[in-house]
Amino acid sequence: MKIPLLDLKAQYAAIRGDIEAAMREVVESQVFINGPQVGALETAVAAYCGVPHAVGVSSGTDALLVSMMATGIGPGDEVITSPYTFFATAGSIARLGARPVFVDIDPVTFNLRSDRVADAVTPRTRAIVPVHLFGQLADMGPILDVAARKNLVVIEDACQAIGAEHAGRRAGAIGDYGCFSFFPSKNLGGFGDGGMVTARDPSKAERVRLLRTHGMHPKYVHRLVGGNFRLDTLQAAVLLVKMRYLDRWTEARRRNAARYDELFEESGLVARGLVRTPRAVTERHVFNQYVIRCERRDPLVEHLRASGIGCEIYYPIPLHLQECFRDLGYAPGDFPEAERAAHETLALPVYPELSEDQARAVVTAISNYYETT
Ligand SMILES: *Cc1c(COP(=O)(O)O)cnc(C)c1O
């Protein structure tokens, strides 16, 4: 049985008619830039997240970049974030000439250790960028407290966490800005790149909106130096259709995760300490990824791939050890939990259409590996 890490064709097959109609409408209108679908998607995402404002942008990376630009982050500033995330989180900080300051992760959630954030604040700190990794909210309470005390901006990297919720609040509605990605592998994925910035404060949203089109308002009057960070109308049209299914897909991901938990428990792999399943400590983990920790991970990956089972390592090298950040002066051992995670974690297929038989086959293949080695 071949099981991909993600099966976008299965999802598309279920909604093909609606998607084709929505795309055709845009093509017939020939309004490819700032068409009405962009505003409609902004309204829909804002409502979904429970936040008053949302601004469509060109990618999750650009959502982070433009939020930081709106905050005025630049050379000499420090921004606190996680060393265990996709590169874009820290890359956006560095692109603005600011310094990423890493804080180690919590070994249970893989998110920033909120109790260590205060120690990393200096007079140069401008912002904190917590990441809701794999679809689970970071521990936002203590982060918001530090930010309020030290007058820092909080930018949520919610790229993997649309719809994640805890204590009545959703990803993107907790900090000053929320950054979302519609990269095809995210829970709400477009037909290419796309993203969204959410904000509670209207003036912050307005600043992002201005920066999205070269700081221009009205036409040919430039109040800020921005860029072209627009979301295509075609992407918005596709995403508007997909939004109708997002809760169903999220529930299916959560069901698949619960099923894996049971199957791993039954397999004896957990009791023998060979596999540790992920833990949801917040109310609604949306499982963009189902990530286990496992013994002898790298040969296990080879075994799974040889068996036709898709899997991926998120992430094999923590950001403080990346070549491009050598100048920051970090060394191996600085963030032991991020480094341990980079050695032990493995993401398994958890996409909504994954069947019970497929989940069973994944766990059986992992069991077989440990039986035969
Ligand atoms: C996907 C992702 C991004 C970047 O999003 P793009 O749309 O690919 O630019 C940033 N941060 C995290 C945590 C992500 O998972």
Side-chain angles (χ1 to χ4, degrees):
M1 189 186 295
K2 254 186 105 65
I3 305 168
L5 181 64
L6 175 66
D7 188 354
L8 288 172
K9 285 183 181 167
Q11 187 189 79
Y12 180 52
I15 57 174
R16 177 181 273 120
D18 286 352
I19 294 268
E20 284 178 355
M23 291 180 79
R24 199 174 314 117
E25 193 181 326
V26 176
V27 172
E28 289 302 327
S29 78
Q30 293 286 301
V31 183
F32 296 117
I33 303 295
N34 289 340
Q37 291 85 349
V38 175
L41 183 71
E42 291 172 346
T43 304
V45 169
Y48 187 80
C49 297
V51 62
H53 307 282
V55 184
V57 294
S58 31
S59 68
T61 302
D62 286 343
L64 288 160
L65 187 70
V66 80
S67 301
M68 291 179 202
M69 288 169 75
T71 305
I73 288 166
D77 294 335
E78 293 178 357
V79 178
I80 296 170
T81 193
S82 169
Y84 190 64
T85 169
F86 180 60
F87 178 77
T89 320
S92 303
I93 299 166
R95 282 170 68 185
L96 293 172
R99 180 186 170 84
V101 172
F102 298 116
V103 166
D104 208 359
I105 56 165
D106 176 304
V108 172
T109 62
F110 304 107
N111 285 326
L112 264 187
R113 266 200 65 166
S114 56
D115 58 336
R116 297 264 177 90
V117 170
D119 295 340
V121 175
T122 76
R124 292 170 179 269
T125 309
R126 293 290 308 280
I128 308 171
V129 186
V131 182
H132 307 313
L133 203 69
F134 305 143
Q136 171 153 242
L137 285 182
D139 183 23
M140 294 300 288
I143 291 171
L144 294 174
D145 288 345
V146 173
R149 251 191 348 264
K150 305 283 184 177
N151 198 23
L152 307 175
V153 171
V154 175
I155 300 170
E156 296 171 65
D157 183 337
C159 287
Q160 300 182 6
I162 190 162
E165 188 174 321
H166 189 69
R169 286 166 99 181
R170 285 198 167 176
I174 306 169
D176 295 284
Y177 297 96
C179 301
F180 293 90
S181 166
F182 304 130
F183 185 80
S185 68
K186 305 297 158 101
N187 285 20
L188 180 65
F191 284 7
D193 284 307
M196 187 79 68
V197 176
T198 54
R200 288 182 296 141
D201 171 19
S203 67
K204 289 189 172 70
E206 207 38 51
R207 227 175 143 77
V208 168
R209 211 172 271 288
L210 258 182
L211 288 164
R212 173 175 70 172
T213 40
H214 296 291
M216 182 170 76
H217 187 79
K219 215 170 185 184
Y220 305 124
V221 177
H222 298 267
R223 298 200 273 154
L224 299 166
V225 178
N228 175 355
F229 300 124
R230 289 183 297 258
L231 176 68
D232 286 342
T233 312
L234 269 170
Q235 295 302 340
V238 168
L239 291 161
L240 268 173
V241 173
K242 288 198 174 193
M243 276 233 48
R244 303 205 295 262
Y245 299 88
L246 181 56
D247 276 331
R248 249 173 285 174
W249 290 335
T250 300
E251 286 318 305
R253 285 176 179 276
R254 288 167 51 78
R255 259 200 315 279
N256 290 338
R259 180 174 290 145
Y260 272 132
D261 289 349
E262 281 171 28
L263 291 170
F264 277 119
E265 206 59 60
E266 287 166 15
S267 73
L269 293 170
V270 175
R272 288 158 64 200
L274 295 166
V275 166
R276 268 176 289 169
T277 52
R279 258 185 63 202
V281 304
T282 56
E283 285 158 22
R284 193 181 193 227
H285 186 325
V286 297
F287 287 100
N288 178 241
Q289 302 295 346
Y290 182 89
V291 175
I292 61 170
R293 287 183 192 259
C294 48
E295 290 292 306
R296 289 173 268 143
R297 183 205 49 197
D298 293 343
L300 171 61
V301 168
E302 279 174 41
H303 170 83
L304 290 177
R305 289 189 178 149
S307 317
I309 290 171
C311 58
E312 192 57 79
I313 298 164
Y314 299 117
Y315 297 89
I317 306 172
L319 297 184
H320 67 288
L321 301 180
Q322 294 288 348
E323 188 181 337
C324 66
F325 290 145
R326 218 170 18 204
D327 292 352
L328 296 176
Y330 290 111
D334 282 350
F335 304 109
E337 288 303 339
E339 291 168 34
R340 203 187 326 276
H343 279 109
E344 294 182 348
T345 53
L346 184 61
L348 303 176
V350 72
Y351 57 88
E353 298 78 10
L354 186 83
S355 70
E356 178 165 359
D357 283 350
Q358 288 176 312
R360 226 173 254 287
V362 171
V363 175
T364 301
I366 294 172
S367 291
N368 288 344
Y369 166 74
Y370 288 113
E371 297 316 323
T372 57
T373 53

